[in-house]
Amino acid sequence: MTKSQPQALWIYAHPEAKSFNRDIFDAGRAELEKTHTVVTSDLYAMGFNPLLTSADFGGAADAEGTFLERWATAFETDQLLDDVRAEQQKMLEADLVVIQFPLWWYAVPAILKGWIDRVFASGFAFDIIDPETGRTRRYGDGLLVGKRALIVVTAGEHATALGPRGISGDLDSLLFGLTHGVLFYTGMSSLPLHLIEQADDMTPERATEEIERLNARLKGVYDETPTPYRTRESGDYRPARVLRDEFIPGRVDLGIHRTEG
């Protein structure tokens, strides 16, 4: 059956039922519901278990092989736990994925990292072999090709402090492991980060402005140009997966992995 409208998955990681983050979550979903079927994963409200252990592997937990081999077997034989399979199905059905969280200690909250660890399983998000070429599908290719992902992150810092020369470090670099190492790695198109700065000092007036700013992005989310990461198959990398010397010589920052430099 053909979907009548695109589907969005909004992954939300904030512990408070009453907060500015919650207001953003509620307002953003309401905006998307005008044009999408919206499914959510409110991780704290769900009580999502963030711990990846061999218990995730069901009947394959005691099988022979390494941790990764048993993980892949569990996925291939449909033995992953029900909570993980439900989240994977949400991912597969989504055209747009929104991931919202506060920046804690320069990274994502632990519950969100655990969601990624468990849901992005071997065979689902990595270790996927192209049957025609025998190559592993990753870095711009994978099971999740065709999906767009928008990260909405709140921070107590000023945007300038999270800029290229800011004391807190460049936000694009801080979240490179998520945008490039998780989203782009599995084939998704990662859109430019949506930062909401100084979230700890939010006035009602600014809160309204920030909600309107995010809603404007959501309205035009399919018109945006994704972050232009270099694909593994672009020819820009040597066989050892190191960027060739002729591209942006002398630079070693993470920005070299964008075609725009």
Side-chain angles (χ1 to χ4, degrees):
M1 183 173 65
T2 303
K3 292 191 294 185
S4 60
Q5 58 184 0
Q7 184 154 309
L9 168 61
W10 197 302
I11 303 156
Y12 176 65
H14 193 283
E16 291 293 318
K18 293 183 179 180
S19 65
F20 171 64
N21 259 277
R22 185 74 199 195
D23 293 342
I24 285 285
F25 177 52
D26 291 340
R29 284 183 303 137
E31 180 61 42
L32 275 181
E33 284 171 351
K34 298 175 182 177
T35 54
H36 290 69
T37 300
V38 180
V39 177
T40 64
S41 290
D42 184 347
L43 301 185
Y44 283 97
M46 293 162 58
F48 187 82
N49 176 14
L51 299 180
L52 171 64
T53 70
S54 58
D56 277 45
F57 306 161
D62 297 322
E64 296 294 327
T66 66
F67 185 88
L68 282 176
E69 289 169 344
R70 286 181 285 130
W71 200 8
T73 297
F75 174 77
E76 292 166 0
T77 57
D78 201 25
Q79 297 190 69
L80 295 177
L81 298 186
D82 289 346
D83 61 340
V84 170
R85 289 191 296 170
E87 296 303 297
Q88 289 177 343
Q89 190 60 37
K90 291 179 187 178
M91 289 290 298
L92 291 174
E93 294 175 355
D95 301 288
L96 171 67
V97 178
V98 180
I99 306 176
Q100 180 194 348
F101 58 91
L103 189 69
W104 285 353
W105 291 110
Y106 303 95
V108 302
I111 196 169
L112 177 55
K113 179 56 168 64
W115 181 89
I116 294 168
D117 288 347
R118 294 186 65 213
V119 174
F120 282 63
S122 176
F124 176 80
F126 67 100
D127 286 342
I128 299 173
I129 307 300
D130 186 322
E132 295 184 3
T133 65
R135 302 191 68 175
T136 304
R137 298 178 61 187
R138 54 189 171 190
Y139 294 117
D141 191 13
L143 190 62
L144 304 181
V145 163
K147 304 179 187 300
R148 289 188 161 225
L150 175 65
I151 293 171
V152 179
V153 55
T154 58
E157 269 285 20
H158 291 262
T160 51
L162 289 163
R165 293 175 60 84
I167 192 172
S168 292
D170 175 42
L171 187 63
D172 283 318
S173 297
L174 293 176
L175 296 181
F176 184 81
L178 176 57
T179 57
H180 185 273
V182 175
L183 303 177
F184 182 69
Y185 185 97
T186 58
M188 283 190 273
S189 297
S190 181
L191 300 173
L193 298 172
H194 188 90
L195 169 65
I196 300 174
E197 63 171 336
Q198 302 181 76
D200 297 335
D201 303 312
M202 192 63 60
T203 65
E205 294 75 19
R206 256 200 76 220
T208 298
E209 292 173 359
E210 290 294 350
I211 288 172
E212 291 175 350
R213 185 169 70 91
L214 176 57
N215 284 351
R217 281 202 72 180
L218 294 173
K219 290 176 183 176
V221 73
Y222 295 106
D223 298 323
E224 290 194 16
T225 300
T227 302
Y229 290 125
R230 302 176 191 272
T231 67
R232 191 185 67 163
E233 305 304 323
S234 64
D236 294 355
Y237 295 94
R238 300 201 303 267
R241 298 196 292 278
V242 176
L243 189 64
R244 295 183 180 278
D245 294 339
E246 59 265 33
F247 295 106
I248 318 182
R251 274 182 51 186
V252 296
D253 59 280
L254 296 176
I256 66 175
H257 299 293
R258 301 181 183 208
T259 56
E260 66 187 5

